[in-house]
Amino acid sequence: MDFVTVIGFDDLTYNFQNQGMGVITSWIIMLFLYVIPYSLMVGQLGSVFNHEGGGLTSWVRGTSGEFLGYFTAWTYWAASIPYVVDTANSIVVGLGWAYSGNAGLQEHMSNGWFAFWTLVTFIVFIFVQSRFKRSLEVLSTIGGIAMFGMTVLFVLMTFAGLAAGGHIATQPMNIHTIIPKFDLHYLTTIGLLIYAVNGAELIAPFVTKMRHPKREFPKAMIMLAVMTAFLTIFGSFSLGVFFNGYHLPNDLKMNGSYYAFQALGKQYHMGNTLMYIFAWTEVFYLAALLAVLLDAMTRMLISDTGAKYMPKVLSKKNANGLPVNGYLLTCGLSAFIMMLGIFLPSMNDIFNWLLNLNGIISPGVTCWIFFAFIKIRQDSKKFPSDYVYIKNDKLALTVGWWCLIVTALATIFGIGPQDVGFGTSTWWYELVINFVAIIVLIGLGAVLPYVTRRENRSTTGSAFTRLQWSGILAAIFLTIIGDLYLGGSNYEHNIVSIVTISVLGVALVIIFGWKEFNLKEN
């Protein structure tokens, strides 16, 4: 269960483009100095807070109070926004490959249309998950296992081809080839490595369900490390067989998985058969995953946070029990993230930037795990558990601080743009929108308690009147639509126009929501 949440074939291509064959050494270092300690820490946290469901929010709430628990829930949810947008983007790309059998989509689709179809994908799957939620959870698990099977198949067929006299594209292939270049660019790519291997916290609730957690959980995590090692090391080497690690395609992150299976099929004289099988497997898995994610992340936000800080309007459900306002917030922020990317030169740049944004925000949220672990080991008598990672508290704290510092530094360095030339206009633009995305996604979490206080001050229990809500939502919606349209056009002054529309939209939101009505008498 844990394996399908930790690593996938796409994670290999993402990091292969960042570091080339040197990523093999990076994977080995990550496995022993990060993945195993991280997974075992999660095991102890899940054991300590087993009566609260073992969620990340409950860990921080149990060690540091209600507000930090709420803020953890918000940041964990906010970190999911770029992830679900990236998933929706990947579905659009996957459908392009499944339909046409090539990468022509990026040549014929403008940034605006790419964003538009991504939003359509959101709307479709919010509807779909409300009808088939349980079956999609099963299908996403089956799809994850199928993706693992395709990855193993890729590795085995690659080595079988080499044994039959196949050619290795990366030349020269020697010990120096797999040693990464430790420079500033390398530091900016560590976050995406962490993003690729995190997710172990999702199985924390199952630690206490094992027959003998003290013995079985460490064995399970070692098995996880062995499986991850096989996939990352041999998978990355297999990519080096088909791609020259010294001269990689610029669109490898977006299309690399399809290129790889296309090349494998060519080697075995199977045409595009393997690529089509992979493409439909990818679409099938990502579609089910997106539907489950959209529901799970929204429900987690409104159900596992303190009522003192979370506005009631977000937890309001319709006749079918669906948190529609939470879905609207998810779609709105997803549209905002896509809007930031439409200024970039191409569809490939949008895909790469969005993926790299995950490499900033996701590790940042992972810091909460190590923060909670440090807290329970600082007072281990107050937080007893059936499973204990490293009995000596001082040594455990040293490992906890190590993981926290590495993750925090990876988050900070990850803000530096990758995939584009240093100091170019695109580099500076990506740096700016990285900060904008982080400030908006995390900063909105500080705004929601203000909305909650307005609800509490109102005799009607609503922070805004129906007319105010209509004005606020209309201003946001029209701003997003206007920016998306201009972003996909060739209008000479489109950036100035987009900034003007955005500023005007923010001003209208403030104007509509400024005045408070129906205040309670003191």
Side-chain angles (χ1 to χ4, degrees), residues 156-397:
L156 294 179
M157 290 183 72
T158 299
F159 277 85
L162 288 177
H167 173 71
I168 298 178
T170 302
Q171 295 295 336
M173 176 68 76
N174 51 45
I175 188 65
H176 300 290
T177 307
I178 64 171
I179 303 299
K181 186 179 180 181
F182 298 100
D183 54 11
L184 180 61
H185 172 74
Y186 181 85
L187 294 175
T188 65
T189 63
I190 295 176
L192 203 58
L193 284 169
I194 294 176
Y195 165 67
V197 297
N198 66 11
E201 66 274 10
L202 298 176
I203 52 89
F206 296 94
V207 176
T208 55
K209 299 183 186 300
M210 288 180 150
R211 292 187 184 90
H212 305 287
K214 292 181 181 179
R215 297 199 308 268
E216 293 178 351
F217 187 74
K219 290 180 181 178
M221 290 302 100
I222 291 172
M223 187 60 189
L224 169 68
V226 170
M227 293 171 68
T228 305
F230 169 82
L231 187 65
T232 55
I233 295 171
F234 291 104
S236 298
F237 175 81
S238 298
L239 289 174
V241 171
F242 294 104
F243 302 101
N244 184 346
Y246 299 105
H247 303 285
L248 295 171
N250 185 49
D251 62 342
L252 192 71
K253 287 182 179 177
M254 184 167 70
N255 297 310
S257 300
Y258 306 99
Y259 288 150
F261 278 94
Q262 200 172 43
L264 185 64
K266 182 179 179 180
Q267 184 183 52
Y268 281 87
H269 308 290
M270 297 175 65
N272 277 342
T273 302
L274 290 176
M275 184 279 296
Y276 279 118
I277 293 174
F278 175 80
W280 283 112
T281 301
E282 177 93 320
V283 170
F284 171 81
Y285 168 61
L286 291 176
L289 179 63
L290 178 62
V292 173
L293 279 173
L294 285 170
D295 181 73
M297 61 185 284
T298 302
R299 290 178 185 269
M300 183 205 76
L301 176 67
I302 65 177
S303 63
D304 197 22
T305 51
K308 181 179 178 182
Y309 304 104
M310 183 57 58
K312 297 180 183 66
V313 66
L314 287 180
S315 58
K316 190 176 295 184
K317 299 178 181 179
N318 64 7
N320 296 322
L322 298 175
V324 288
N325 291 332
Y327 290 150
L328 287 174
L329 179 63
T330 301
C331 285
L333 285 177
S334 299
F336 166 74
I337 294 297
M338 284 301 299
M339 181 187 70
L340 292 177
I342 59 176
F343 305 134
L344 292 170
S346 68
M347 176 177 158
N348 182 55
D349 290 308
I350 294 177
F351 191 94
N352 289 346
W353 167 73
L354 188 59
L355 180 63
N356 294 333
L357 182 62
N358 279 296
I360 303 169
I361 296 180
S362 183
V365 175
T366 303
C367 288
W368 286 116
I369 295 173
F370 306 123
F371 172 80
F373 178 77
I374 290 170
K375 284 290 185 180
I376 66 169
R377 297 312 295 262
Q378 285 176 336
D379 193 355
S380 55
K381 292 182 179 179
K382 183 181 176 181
F383 301 103
S385 63
D386 292 332
Y387 168 72
V388 177
Y389 170 57
I390 304 179
K391 293 183 179 180
N392 184 285
D393 285 334
K394 290 184 178 179
L395 181 57
L397 283 170

Side-chain angles (χ1 to χ4, degrees), residues 47 72 81 93 127 140 143 176 251-252 268 276 283 298 396 402 470:
S47 181
T72 301
I81 294 293
V93 173
F127 173 79
S140 64
H176 300 290
D251 62 342
L252 192 71
Y268 281 87
Y276 279 118
V283 170
T298 302
W402 156 258
S470 298

